[in-house]
Amino acid sequence: IKKKNTHTHNTEVTASNISKSSIPIICPVGNKASSYSTTTHPNYKPSQSPDKGAICLAIPSLSLLLCSMHLAGTNKYNVPETIFDDIRIKQLQTINDACFNNTEMIVDDASFRKLRPIVLGDLNFRVEVLSSEGEKERGGKDFCAVNEILMEGETDKVRQLFLEYDRLCLHLGHTTRRQQQQQQQQRGKNEFIMNNVNENENHITKNGSTINVDDKSFPSLRRIDLLSDVVDLIWRESFQNKQKTSSNVILPTFTFKVGDVPPRSYANKRTPSWTDRILVSQRLLLLLLSESDDNWICCDKDQETMHSEEEGIQQPLLVGSGEVTSIGTNDDIVLSDHIPLHCLIHFK
């Protein structure tokens, strides 16, 4: 396995400083201009600034693809999350193409696609209960609606908040079809705002064809190869099982005032959200019995496979041996406006 010499921000990646058993993939996707422009430090190319993006490592010997990401945040008030979701989905598609459609990678395509992804980081998908203009102000009705539920601390209400209003949960299909239909209707109401945010951010490319992500159909991250079979561990370990107790519930990890002493209150700068996530290929994990009852997954016990029911099409996927033995947040770390999320997976 080889990788051609690549220059990324004046750092040369060559065969002499990478392991032959691993393939590094660096993919900046930010949209900031350089703070300086000289001959040696030119302006970043469009949608390639390093403030957002991914650093990935393919390890063929372990059939793993590790991806650490930081995607675009919500940086305007009174703009619905569908607009920012479209930008994040485009960034994910760009990262996906860097991994699976990289012309600089000299490796058997079939072997590379057998890699099982682990995607983690600040994916920046938000919670949104109210999306109308005036409800998305700083400390506005959307913030208050979410913050009130979290302050009450009732497990069932927090679970309902996550399953019905967490944007990543919806995009991954970890919801009922009724909830997805509601989101489709909301997308139709909000589509006119797209051009006011970024008129060039409303298309993504997949397999050489263009997909309009601002159409009436609710976008699905399952269309992206990198995320086609991943499961969100916050959903899996904290919310999809109704029998989970309050001690198992992971609360939103964003946003807080830096340096506040625990217990910290959510800052009203943005609506509290589960922005920090860990997504793991189902081919790495043991199938939970409760997952066979979910709308998204059914289990074929005879063949020891599972199937993804995307638009009624069943695709067999191998089930792995990984067991999540620990997942939670490190509330005592206050150096950021996020609370870190950790996870330990044991492989037999």
Side-chain angles (χ1 to χ4, degrees):
I1 300 172
K2 298 179 181 179
K3 190 176 190 299
K4 294 181 180 180
N5 293 354
T6 303
H7 287 80
T8 304
H9 307 301
N10 300 316
T11 300
E12 187 176 83
V13 181
T14 68
S16 62
N17 58 20
I18 64 172
S19 169
K20 292 182 179 180
S21 61
S22 64
I23 305 169
I25 303 165
I26 303 172
C27 184
V29 297
N31 207 25
K32 283 187 177 180
S34 175
S35 57
Y36 48 83
S37 179
T38 66
T39 302
T40 56
H41 295 86
N43 282 323
Y44 301 120
K45 294 180 180 180
S47 299
Q48 291 189 24
S49 63
D51 58 301
K52 298 295 187 290
I55 298 178
C56 306
L57 187 66
I59 310 175
S61 61
L62 298 178
S63 296
L64 284 179
L65 177 60
L66 307 177
C67 297
S68 177
M69 298 185 184
H70 187 192
L71 303 181
T74 297
N75 57 12
K76 292 182 183 294
Y77 293 111
N78 292 320
V79 177
E81 286 300 325
T82 53
I83 305 304
F84 298 105
D85 286 354
D86 289 340
I87 297 172
R88 294 172 193 126
I89 291 171
K90 179 181 178 182
Q91 292 178 339
L92 283 166
Q93 184 65 55
T94 300
I95 294 168
N96 178 85
D97 292 344
C99 291
F100 293 104
N101 300 319
N102 194 331
T103 58
E104 296 182 350
M105 203 74 66
I106 304 175
V107 61
D108 178 72
D109 182 70
S111 298
F112 197 84
R113 291 181 179 274
K114 291 180 181 179
L115 299 179
R116 299 165 293 181
I118 297 177
V119 176
L120 67 161
D122 181 6
L123 304 188
N124 251 326
F125 286 90
R126 306 301 174 92
V127 170
E128 184 178 66
V129 175
L130 302 170
S131 60
S132 299
E133 186 173 354
E135 296 173 332
K136 299 284 291 180
E137 298 175 344
R138 179 169 185 153
K141 292 182 179 180
D142 186 49
F143 168 84
C144 292
V146 175
N147 191 56
E148 182 179 350
I149 294 174
L150 298 174
M151 293 297 291
E152 289 179 3
E154 294 186 21
T155 301
D156 288 342
K157 289 185 177 180
V158 175
R159 181 178 183 273
Q160 183 180 9
L161 175 70
F162 179 85
L163 292 177
E164 293 193 15
Y165 299 106
D166 176 77
R167 305 292 301 177
L168 182 61
C169 189
L170 289 166
H171 284 296
L172 288 174
H174 293 330
T175 58
T176 64
R177 293 183 179 179
R178 176 185 63 81
Q179 293 160 353
Q180 291 186 359
Q181 290 171 353
Q182 291 175 345
Q183 291 297 321
Q184 289 178 17
Q185 295 172 359
Q186 187 61 52
R187 281 181 60 80
K189 296 177 182 178
N190 295 332
E191 65 179 341
F192 70 95
I193 304 176
M194 168 62 77
N195 290 336
N196 294 330
V197 177
N198 194 326
E199 62 183 5
N200 296 320
E201 295 276 23
N202 64 334
H203 289 84
I204 59 176
T205 301
K206 180 175 175 63
N207 297 330
S209 60
T210 299
I211 301 173
N212 185 353
V213 299
D214 198 38
D215 59 19
K216 292 297 194 306
S217 61
F218 192 79
S220 173
L221 293 179
R222 301 299 177 187
R223 302 175 187 176
I224 300 176
D225 294 336
L226 185 64
L227 304 177
S228 62
D229 80 323
V230 297
V231 60
D232 172 38
L233 292 190
I234 290 183
W235 170 81
R236 185 182 194 264
E237 300 297 322
S238 196
F239 292 111
Q240 66 100 11
N241 187 343
K242 294 181 180 180
Q243 305 303 317
K244 294 286 186 179
T245 63
S246 58
S247 61
N248 300 117
V249 171
I250 296 174
L251 297 177
T253 58
F254 175 85
T255 177
F256 301 91
K257 184 178 179 180
V258 177
D260 270 2
V261 177
R264 302 164 80 185
S265 298
Y266 290 99
N268 67 0
K269 181 180 180 180
R270 301 293 176 197
T271 299
S273 299
W274 288 269
T275 55
D276 308 282
R277 309 296 270 266
I278 301 173
L279 312 179
V280 179
S281 169
Q282 189 68 63
R283 289 171 289 162
L284 286 167
L285 299 173
L286 285 170
L287 186 67
L288 298 179
L289 292 178
S290 57
E291 288 178 350
S292 62
D293 297 327
D294 188 82
N295 290 334
W296 175 59
I297 293 174
C298 67
C299 182
D300 185 341
K301 295 181 180 180
D302 294 332
Q303 297 183 15
E304 295 185 349
T305 63
M306 71 173 200
H307 298 84
S308 172
E309 293 185 337
E310 180 69 22
E311 299 179 354
I313 300 175
Q314 293 191 346
Q315 297 179 342
L317 301 170
L318 297 178
V319 177
S321 63
E323 180 180 1
V324 178
T325 57
S326 174
I327 184 171
T329 55
N330 301 86
D331 298 354
D332 56 335
I333 299 178
V334 298
L335 298 176
S336 169
D337 54 356
H338 294 250
I339 290 179
L341 177 70
H342 70 265
C343 177
L344 180 63
I345 303 176
H346 176 72
F347 296 96
K348 297 179 180 179

